[in-house]
Amino acid sequence: MKLPCLDKKGLNIFSITADQRNKLGNELFLNTHFPIKYHRFKNQTLSDIWNEDKLFSELSYDTENNIRNKVFILYGAAGSGKSETMKWLEIKINTSQKSRVICRISRTELDPLLILQKVNSFGDLEVNRSLVLNRTKIEGKPVTLANNLIWNSLSNLLDMDENIIPISYKLRPIVERNIKESFEKFKNTNELIDNRVEIFSIEDLEKAISESDIFVELDYEKLRYYLVKQFEKEILGEYDFIESLKKIGKYLENKTGSRPLLLIDDLVQSMNIYSNELLNYFITFGECYWDVVIGLTPSSFEDSKRGRKLLTRIDNLDTFDDRVIKLWLSDYAGDKSYFLDEETIVEYAKKYIVEYKKINDKSCDTNCPSYRNCIYLQWGNVDDVIF
């Protein structure tokens, strides 16, 4: 059956990700955006159903004269609508609260230096430009960098060279591999690929110790802390990422009179190196100068021991329920959406089809040779033909 309103022109309206669709313009993004609902659970029991307008309202309202930081965690499987929510919030707040600073970190933004530069585009830190120029030199020396990280970290944890040397031989190739992969992932802008960065995992340490002839007791979290701090020193020079985030937030709050808003599409994907440290910072009363919305994909935590520990910790943040609000867009596995079902999917599809027809400049009326066929196949209101 020939349908004149179907054409290659405008097919990019059916882009997979929110950011790809938004490249066609804010107006089209909002016209195709389907209102999202979230389930809030307490003690594994559904306690409340939120919509995106309530989330927007909560972020807009200055509780207690803007003294306390507000943290929203959006749970959902891949493709459940977390990035869609973030993009909608970004547009909505930018157009309605023009004086408020809002910074969004998408899931393709992985490089700590570029993220810091992006956040600081609103602040007043003097981020040294030479750090960007130095990046090429650092990337060209992964072995040297791995050695620096390993020796610096182990010297903080072990007292004698006879203990450091054997385990360092096992750790250096692992860290070198992870560093090389990290630099490659920093350059990848594909939203559909898992690009999370990890300098050193619990599994890496267990493997290294099991293959070493000498048993060495190493605390994983301490070892990872020193590795990350040394990596940060190489990448960011004199800047501490969390401290810099704090300074920028404080500066912006003092300058604008309102708390800046940070949107992180996917904590594990884009901010995995700092995931635990960021969580500590965001929930610390009186320390965090940002309101925050964090996207989390539960299944992405399940493939590592550290991820499972972090997920358990976040799940048990109910003692902070006055400031940490956890909202679900889908069930854990992503089998069920909390805002799309057999009834709402029609309206969801309709938004896209209507805009697609506008792009193709096709109207539905009796002058169209396919009109009778479309009416015959049409569901719902025949006055609004969208077949």
Side-chain angles (χ1 to χ4, degrees):
M1 180 170 58
K2 294 180 180 180
L3 294 174
C5 54
L6 294 184
D7 195 277
K8 290 182 180 180
K9 181 183 177 183
L11 283 177
N12 50 356
I13 197 175
F14 302 108
S15 300
I16 295 174
T17 69
D19 279 325
Q20 288 173 343
R21 198 168 89 257
N22 186 242
K23 289 178 181 178
L24 302 176
N26 287 351
E27 182 180 357
L28 186 140
F29 176 87
L30 293 175
N31 287 344
T32 52
H33 174 76
F34 188 79
I36 296 176
K37 291 184 178 180
Y38 318 90
H39 283 190
R40 187 180 183 189
F41 296 90
K42 288 187 178 179
N43 300 320
Q44 298 183 333
T45 303
L46 178 62
S47 66
D48 198 7
I49 296 178
W50 285 43
N51 59 32
E52 58 190 20
D53 288 326
K54 179 174 175 60
L55 176 58
F56 170 73
S57 176
E58 286 290 318
L59 286 167
S60 304
Y61 179 62
D62 288 342
T63 306
E64 295 178 4
N65 296 319
N66 209 31
I67 292 174
R68 62 180 199 171
N69 49 302
K70 287 171 278 189
V71 180
F72 294 87
I73 297 177
L74 302 184
Y75 285 94
S80 61
K82 297 186 297 295
S83 294
E84 180 79 13
T85 294
M86 300 294 188
K87 192 67 205 179
W88 181 84
L89 282 172
E90 183 181 26
I91 295 172
K92 186 83 171 175
I93 292 174
N94 275 334
T95 54
S96 63
Q97 302 175 36
K98 294 184 179 180
S99 63
R100 187 176 193 185
V101 171
I102 175 171
C103 182
R104 174 171 165 248
I105 309 300
S106 73
R107 67 193 311 272
T108 61
E109 295 175 282
L110 312 175
D111 190 328
L113 176 57
L114 297 184
I115 292 174
L116 182 59
Q117 285 183 316
K118 181 174 186 176
V119 177
N120 188 52
S121 64
F122 305 99
D124 69 339
L125 282 183
E126 295 182 4
V127 179
N128 195 332
R129 294 180 181 274
S130 65
L131 293 174
V132 179
L133 300 175
N134 194 44
R135 171 59 60 82
T136 304
K137 296 179 182 178
I138 295 174
E139 290 183 12
K141 298 186 289 186
V143 176
T144 303
L145 181 56
N147 275 322
N148 287 343
L149 267 60
I150 289 299
W151 282 97
N152 177 276
S153 303
L154 292 179
S155 66
N156 280 290
L157 295 171
L158 301 173
D159 295 329
M160 302 175 66
D161 282 349
E162 62 188 62
N163 292 327
I164 294 174
I165 293 172
I167 194 66
S168 69
Y169 287 139
K170 296 294 182 181
L171 296 185
R172 193 205 56 74
I174 298 172
V175 173
E176 179 191 340
R177 178 201 67 204
N178 291 345
I179 287 172
K180 286 180 177 178
E181 289 180 358
S182 296
F183 283 136
E184 284 302 312
K185 289 176 178 179
F186 286 168
K187 302 171 187 175
N188 197 329
T189 58
N190 191 332
E191 294 182 72
L192 304 179
I193 295 176
D194 185 347
N195 275 327
R196 78 187 91 167
V197 170
E198 180 58 274
I199 301 301
F200 199 67
S201 68
I202 294 176
E203 290 79 3
D204 287 335
L205 179 61
E206 290 175 345
K207 184 175 186 294
I209 289 179
S210 68
E211 294 176 353
S212 178
D213 295 332
I214 301 175
F215 176 75
V216 179
E217 255 194 69
L218 285 174
D219 182 290
Y220 167 73
E221 289 297 339
K222 289 182 179 178
L223 175 58
R224 184 183 183 278
Y225 170 81
Y226 286 118
L227 286 170
V228 169
K229 295 308 290 184
Q230 187 62 27
F231 183 73
E232 181 180 63
K233 185 177 179 181
E234 297 285 347
I235 299 298
L236 300 182
E238 72 270 26
Y239 302 103
D240 178 293
F241 187 86
I242 303 297
E243 284 301 314
S244 296
L245 199 63
K246 186 186 298 185
K247 289 177 182 177
I248 295 168
K250 186 175 182 178
Y251 165 80
L252 291 173
E253 185 173 349
N254 290 335
K255 180 183 178 182
T256 64
S258 63
R259 190 179 299 279
L261 175 62
L262 186 62
L263 306 176
I264 301 176
D265 281 17
D266 193 319
L267 183 65
V268 170
Q269 181 78 358
S270 60
M271 306 292 284
N272 190 45
I273 293 178
Y274 295 107
S275 55
N276 204 47
E277 293 79 3
L278 281 170
L279 189 63
N280 286 336
Y281 170 54
F282 293 147
I283 65 176
T284 302
F285 183 76
E287 286 286 319
C288 183
Y289 297 94
W290 297 83
D291 286 339
V292 191
V293 183
I294 304 169
L296 289 182
T297 305
S299 61
S300 66
F301 288 88
E302 292 295 336
D303 58 1
S304 72
K305 290 184 178 180
R306 189 171 192 270
R308 290 192 291 272
K309 286 173 64 178
L310 182 59
L311 183 60
T312 300
R313 181 168 177 240
I314 296 171
D315 285 342
N316 293 324
L317 279 177
D318 291 325
T319 53
F320 294 91
D321 236 15
D322 59 331
R323 283 183 295 121
V324 179
I325 296 177
K326 293 172 284 186
L327 304 172
W328 288 77
L329 289 85
S330 72
D331 65 347
Y332 194 93
D335 296 327
K336 180 181 180 181
S337 167
Y338 291 146
F339 66 98
L340 283 179
D341 53 34
E342 289 185 358
E343 293 181 7
T344 58
I345 196 67
V346 175
E347 291 302 314
Y348 176 87
K350 178 177 175 179
K351 285 178 170 287
Y352 283 83
I353 296 172
V354 167
E355 293 303 312
Y356 174 63
K357 283 170 57 178
K358 284 182 185 176
I359 291 175
N360 283 303
D361 195 25
K362 302 292 182 183
S363 60
C364 290
D365 54 40
T366 53
N367 295 322
C368 176
S370 298
Y371 184 76
R372 285 182 176 276
N373 288 329
C374 288
I375 287 294
Y376 176 74
L377 294 167
Q378 174 71 17
W379 69 88
N381 183 4
V382 294
D383 293 329
D384 187 15
V385 182
I386 59 166
F387 175 78

